[in-house]
Amino acid sequence: MATRFWEAGEGRTFVGRLATGSDLVEEIERLCVARQINAAWVSVIGAVRHATYAYFDQTDHRYIELESDTHHEITGFVGNISLRDGNPFLHAHATFGDERGETVGGHLLHGIEVFAAEVQIREMTNAELIRQFDEETGLALW
Amino acid sequence: MATRFWEAGEGRTFVGRLATGSDLVEEIERLCVARQINAAWVSVIGAVRHATYAYFDQTDHRYIELESDTHHEITGFVGNISLRDGNPFLHAHATFGDERGETVGGHLLHGIEVFAAEVQIREMTNAELIRQFDEETGLALW
Amino acid sequence: MATRFWEAGEGRTFVGRLATGSDLVEEIERLCVARQINAAWVSVIGAVRHATYAYFDQTDHRYIELESDTHHEITGFVGNISLRDGNPFLHAHATFGDERGETVGGHLLHGIEVFAAEVQIREMTNAELIRQFDEETGLALW
């Protein structure tokens, strides 16, 4: 895909916390469905009981799934909301720290169990972020 | 705690830098006291001379304190300002890189000595983020 | 340098994606030149084919350059736009994850080859972030 930039409008700002035991990705997506948030930038600080994440193999065009059995602090997070198959979709990557401070990270999958998570969602208007399959990368991009 | 989300209003935006040798967490909190910033999302890019951070033991409900003797780049950062005991409180997690690029990270403690740090603080209005002890996690949550 | 904070105004918000094969830092700076973005906070989520980054030696005041041959997910990102020598300059740090989920990171250099990257740039007005050489740290700070 070629580089492409839009000027977006300022939308609503949501701030909140996720229930202990909830699924991090699903819980944020559920909120976005309920509030009709279709384009946004997302930030999360917190800790998880179980982490499931992935690395995209850029040659074979498939995700390698990873998981951590240990509890983790979220030490870095980048994410956004766009539309995929007509529904709000959270694309997020994070870094996770363990009890020695050592870190792992990747593309977040469903199955991450929240211990505590504080979330900010900043909506963009006039943004129309719609994911479609991109042949070159094998990813659903907007 | 249950999942809970608010729609917040757009507040002021502050941008600045922290003095070399200052305490990262204390310096940001001092600014928030001075400017009466009670709810905000915070981002920091920079490097530190000394890092003190922690991992929360989710079973024993206590922080395990960690520190690095090496100088570090901040390679990831998520944080926010809320009220704790009536005062602006910075809750932040970061990832730190060393001279080989290897990373560690966790929940930021007082005692992090700034080498150089560029900070953005985006205030939220109508947010009322007040930390209170949560029995289930052992954390002060809002 | 002493601690210094400004209250900035709200500017434009840009959202977009970078071309596969483009240089991450150069491509973002090119957009900022084209749109006259001189002060902004920047967030990126994506993956890279090749990563070049650095650790600043705080004693010798020089960058130690690092690179990864492996493909990487971006698992943490902090960055901003300021003016350096009169041009928009991206100062960014990132954490990168590999196929085992292990992470490295540092100060981003030119030469990072994008696989896929989603970018948000939030402009600040009345911010005047102009980099100048700082004797104490050996860095170009604003």
Side-chain angles (χ1 to χ4, degrees), chain C residues 109-122:
Chain C
L109 300 175
H110 286 221
I112 298 171
E113 189 182 342
V114 169
F115 179 69
E118 298 165 359
V119 180
Q120 194 199 45
I121 301 176
R122 296 185 67 96

Side-chain angles (χ1 to χ4, degrees), chain C residues 31-84:
Chain C
L31 172 84
C32 292
V33 169
R35 301 292 187 118
Q36 297 181 281
I37 302 168
N38 297 334
W41 219 259
V42 179
S43 179
V44 177
I45 172 170
V48 300
R49 285 175 173 162
H50 180 73
T52 48
Y53 49 101
Y55 170 85
F56 191 72
D57 185 317
Q58 298 177 18
T59 308
D60 294 350
H61 288 190
R62 65 184 182 83
Y63 279 107
I64 296 170
E65 299 195 3
L66 302 162
E67 64 183 312
S68 299
D69 280 331
T70 188
H71 298 157
H72 276 305
E73 302 289 321
I74 296 171
T75 69
F77 190 97
V78 281
N80 61 49
I81 298 292
S82 58
L83 288 175
R84 183 167 183 171

